[in-house]
Amino acid sequence: MEFDRWLEDLPKYFAADNDIVMSHVLAVLSGVFPDGEDYFVRSVTAAKDRIRDPGLASDVDGFIGQESMHGREHRALNDRLGERGYPMAGISRYVRTITALRERIQGEKANLGFTAALEHYTATLAETLLGDPEARAQIGHPGVRYLLMWHALEESEHKAVAFDVYKAVGGTERMRVITMWITHMTFVLETGIWTAISLARDEYARSHPMQVAKSVWKLRSSPFASPRPVRQLFQYHQRGFHPNDRDTKDMIATWRERLFGSEGTLTDLLAS
Ligand SMILES: [Fe+2]
Ligand SMILES: [Fe+2]
């Protein structure tokens, strides 16, 4: 991966149509990923030596490898975003503090429950991004779009791993659903608050309140806020739910070929 090179010309408002609020939301999400994913890796690693199923044990190794790589590439993007004025260092510090606190007060199963819940969030975002051209178009900057599409592809590939580890160590349905309710609340709250902080620190946004208001209004028609992903998120609450109930094999195969196939489609993708 050579994302660094593609991010050299990254403008401050890298979302489509130089959209201010969408750029801030995407920056906040990218800011949360590396330290959040480190927490996922620690949660899964803690249970690794008790996994008896060799297939799941090998999936866990794949999961750890993929999440570590995501963290590395998002840090490269986050460094650029920090240079453009987004509060990346603050977000990273916040996520490290919260995850450390969780690990101090929560048990292993709860950490895996939260990891599985957040993996359902990333799988939902991934399916939206890979399944809807309008969602992809909203990303704007080709380098950022490619990074998010690569990340989305791998999130779809390993979407069941944390869930299966949670089940393998005896995680209950009750705790699974409770951790998802807490995740809904914290995700909306944290993303909202950090986006507000990020906007409040942005001098251009502060001096163009009407542009910001229009941009907020536009968010409601975003494919990411449409009923489809919301319905998908809430499927997690169904008794007996499993991430592989949603068959994404064809979508994964198509995008693996398009992103990494031998036809040189990457250049077309970045140019589009
Ligand atoms: Fe990831
Ligand atoms: Fe993941």
Side-chain angles (χ1 to χ4, degrees), residues 37 40 63 67 70 119 122 151 154-155 158:
E37 292 180 318
F40 299 172
F63 174 89
E67 293 296 26
H70 301 164
E119 282 287 282
T122 53
H151 192 170
E154 297 201 343
E155 287 304 323
H158 72 224

Side-chain angles (χ1 to χ4, degrees), residues 18 29 61 133 145 171 179 182 191 218 225 238 250 266 269 271:
N18 308 317
L29 288 177
D61 289 335
R145 195 184 329 143
T179 48
I182 299 171
T191 311
K218 222 174 104 185
Q238 288 165 11
D250 288 348
L266 183 58
L269 194 77

Side-chain angles (χ1 to χ4, degrees), residues 43-54:
S43 303
V44 168
T45 305
K48 203 179 152 205
D49 56 346
R50 268 157 299 135
I51 295 167
R52 296 282 161 260
D53 175 355

Side-chain angles (χ1 to χ4, degrees), residues 20-244:
I20 297 176
V21 175
M22 192 63 178
S23 300
H24 279 272
V25 172
L26 290 170
V28 168
L29 288 177
S30 183
V32 169
F33 278 128
D35 300 292
E37 292 180 318
D38 284 352
Y39 167 70
F40 299 172
V41 168
R42 290 195 302 275
S43 303
V44 168
T45 305
K48 203 179 152 205
D49 56 346
R50 268 157 299 135
I51 295 167
R52 296 282 161 260
D53 175 355
L56 181 55
S58 120
D59 287 348
V60 164
D61 289 335
F63 174 89
I64 293 170
Q66 286 188 328
E67 293 296 26
S68 312
M69 198 68 107
H70 301 164
R72 209 174 75 186
E73 301 302 346
H74 270 278
R75 281 190 173 99
L77 170 60
N78 294 348
D79 287 348
R80 298 289 85 73
L81 292 170
E83 288 162 13
R84 308 291 184 272
Y86 292 100
M88 309 314 282
I91 296 172
S92 171
R93 252 195 324 271
Y94 169 79
V95 177
R96 271 181 281 136
T97 307
I98 288 292
T99 50
L101 187 71
R102 278 195 171 166
E103 286 168 310
R104 204 175 314 146
I105 59 174
Q106 284 174 186
E108 176 190 68
K109 280 179 199 163
N111 285 321
L112 280 166
F114 280 109
T115 299
L118 285 160
E119 282 287 282
H120 184 61
Y121 261 79
T122 53
T124 303
L125 288 171
E127 222 181 295
T128 309
L129 191 66
L130 298 180
D132 186 343
E134 231 182 278
R136 292 197 292 280
Q138 277 208 320
I139 310 298
H141 187 272
V144 179
R145 195 184 329 143
Y146 181 74
L147 166 62
L148 292 179
M149 286 166 70
W150 161 71
H151 192 170
L153 171 67
E154 297 201 343
E155 287 304 323
S156 290
E157 285 174 337
H158 72 224
K159 65 179 176 178
V161 177
F163 187 100
D164 288 340
V165 174
Y166 172 75
K167 287 285 179 181
V169 298
T172 62
E173 284 287 279
R174 194 175 131 85
M175 183 191 262
R176 183 175 75 73
V177 172
I178 293 171
T179 48
M180 185 47 117
W181 277 116
I182 299 171
T183 301
H184 290 319
M185 285 184 286
T186 49
F187 184 88
V188 171
L189 214 64
E190 287 166 348
T191 311
I193 289 173
W194 273 107
T195 303
I197 293 172
S198 190
L199 279 163
R201 287 166 34 110
D202 180 343
E203 215 176 293
Y204 180 86
R206 279 205 308 274
S207 53
H208 294 80
M210 278 315 288
Q211 209 177 322
V212 172
K214 271 190 209 150
S215 179
V216 171
W217 184 244
K218 222 174 104 185
L219 269 188
R220 79 198 198 296
S221 54
S222 162
F224 296 101
S226 72
R228 198 214 60 80
V230 175
R231 264 199 312 273
Q232 185 177 343
L233 279 179
F234 278 86
Q235 276 180 355
Y236 195 85
H237 295 278
Q238 288 165 11
R239 184 158 276 280
F241 167 87
H242 188 275
N244 288 341

